[in-house]
């Protein structure tokens, strides 16, 4: 029997929307047979900034038990799904800081030949979702990684409309994660696990 795909889900979330998508991906990937590590990027913002936003402070407390990602988690993984809120059309500084710690693994060639994918949240419609995912994928090209975007490979993608990755508009915290986003997240997880399994089997043969 083939060894299961090892999937690391590494996300940053300030008020919880990215975290909720990450959990949906986690559950779908486990159902698809993957061994999953659900991990958060370390917080960089000062305590005063977090405390000034009720939703941010509440999520920080609620997610205290989620382990922080380390480079060893990426080395362990066959596949990695990164998640982030958009920041001016780019990835969050917290996730970027984590990616910037991977230079040692990159220099050893240990980031190459893995499957990578991403998801994003924004406060507004057209708030930089596609540009954020494309910016994230720039790093993957440098890794020598294999980007597995969801594309339009399932009817659920014609509903959510983003071929680059799962995305959600939270409307300044007023739009909860619904079926459209959950369906897209589940499909992305299943696609990543499926492709990673095929790649893993091929490299082992």
């Amino acid at each position: 029997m083939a060894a299961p795909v090892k999937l690391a889900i590494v996300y940053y979330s300030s008020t919880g929307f990215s975290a909720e998508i990450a959990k949906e991906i986690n559950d779908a990937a486990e159902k698809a047979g993957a061994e999953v590590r659900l991990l958060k990027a370390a917080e960089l913002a000062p305590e005063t900034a977090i405390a000034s936003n009720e939703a941010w402070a509440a999520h920080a407390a609620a997610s205290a038990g989620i382990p922080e990602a380390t480079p060893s988690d990426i080395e362990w993984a066959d596949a990695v799904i990164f998640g982030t809120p958009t920041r001016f059309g780019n990835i969050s500084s917290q996730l970027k800081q984590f990616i910037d710690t991977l230079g040692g693994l990159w220099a050893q060639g240990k980031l190459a030949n893995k499957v990578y994918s991403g998801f994003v949240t924004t406060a507004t419609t057209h708030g930089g979702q596609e540009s954020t995912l494309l910016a994230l994928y720039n790093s993957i090209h440098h890794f020598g990684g294999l980007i597995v975007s969801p594309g339009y490979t399932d009817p659920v993608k014609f509903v959510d409309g983003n071929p680059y990755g799962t995305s959600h508009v939270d409307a300044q915290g007023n739009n909860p994660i619904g079926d459209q986003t959950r369906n897209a997240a589940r499909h992305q997880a299943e696609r990543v696990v499926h492709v990673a399994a095929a790649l893993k089997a091929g490299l082992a043969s």
Side-chain angles (χ1 to χ4, degrees):
M1 180 180 244
V5 167
K6 295 179 289 187
L7 172 65
I9 303 168
V10 180
Y11 72 93
Y12 173 71
S13 187
S14 53
T15 58
F17 288 93
S18 293
E20 195 167 343
I21 296 172
K23 182 62 167 60
E24 194 72 41
I25 289 172
N26 176 93
D27 294 350
E30 288 183 339
K31 287 179 182 177
E35 179 182 351
V36 186
R37 292 183 183 178
L38 181 63
L39 308 155
K40 65 185 179 185
E43 182 61 81
L44 302 177
E47 289 294 335
T48 52
I50 298 170
S52 70
N53 182 315
E54 184 177 342
W56 195 354
H59 179 65
S63 61
I66 301 293
E68 291 183 355
T70 67
S72 64
D73 293 309
I74 307 304
E75 184 175 4
W76 165 86
D78 301 308
V80 182
I81 300 178
F82 290 116
T84 180
T86 193
R87 294 290 185 261
F88 302 113
N90 211 323
I91 68 176
S92 63
S93 58
Q94 290 85 349
L95 183 61
K96 183 60 165 62
Q97 170 67 15
F98 173 71
I99 290 172
D100 286 348
T101 69
L102 302 178
L105 293 179
W106 167 81
Q108 299 173 68
K110 292 184 176 180
L111 300 179
N113 301 331
K114 297 177 185 286
V115 165
Y116 296 87
S117 200
F119 63 92
V120 66
T121 60
T122 57
T124 59
T125 304
H126 308 300
Q129 293 181 343
E130 292 181 1
S131 66
T132 298
L133 289 170
L134 290 171
L136 169 65
Y137 294 157
N138 284 337
S139 295
I140 309 311
H141 292 302
H142 285 256
F143 293 173
L146 304 171
I147 297 170
V148 175
S149 54
Y152 292 106
T153 55
D154 187 275
V156 299
K157 293 307 298 178
F158 290 92
V159 179
D160 105 307
N162 189 341
Y164 301 93
T166 300
S167 58
H168 179 74
V169 178
D170 67 50
Q172 305 290 349
N174 294 308
N175 183 32
I177 304 289
D179 288 343
Q180 174 177 301
T181 302
R182 293 185 189 282
N183 290 338
R186 286 193 289 267
H187 173 61
Q188 185 170 7
E190 291 163 0
R191 179 166 161 77
V192 165
V193 172
H194 175 75
V195 173
L199 179 63
K200 186 171 183 175
L203 290 174
S205 64

